[in-house]
Amino acid sequence: MTIQAINVRNQFKGIIKEIIEGSVVTEVDVETPAGLFTSVITTRSVKDLDLQIGNEVVVLIKATEVSLAKL
């Protein structure tokens, strides 16, 4: 699969470091030069994409809201 064009500006290439599978959703940790990102996606999608530790992936971030809390 190749990505020809996508309307997401925040893109980070990385390597899958950990997969924590649940019955409905799965956490996928991706290490990038910008840091570690965790994506929570459906377990079905993880299987359909055949995601495995060590795979190279692209983290795509498109958010309408970013929240902050002062500590």
Side-chain angles (χ1 to χ4, degrees):
M1 177 180 143
T2 60
I3 299 173
Q4 297 296 322
I6 191 162
N7 185 25
V8 177
R9 299 281 182 222
N10 298 313
Q11 301 180 28
F12 304 92
K13 285 186 181 179
I15 304 293
I16 295 176
K17 292 298 180 183
E18 185 174 12
I19 298 174
I20 303 169
E21 187 175 317
S23 59
V24 178
V25 295
T26 294
E27 293 180 38
V28 180
D29 292 339
V30 179
E31 187 175 324
T32 76
L36 185 69
F37 291 91
T38 300
S39 177
V40 178
I41 63 176
T42 64
T43 300
R44 176 183 283 181
S45 292
V46 171
K47 292 178 181 178
D48 288 349
L49 293 168
D50 191 27
L51 297 179
Q52 299 175 24
I53 293 173
N55 286 155
E56 184 177 26
V57 294
V58 178
V59 176
L60 305 167
I61 301 171
K62 187 165 185 171
T64 58
E65 179 180 333
V66 176
S67 300
L68 297 175
K70 186 175 179 183
L71 299 176

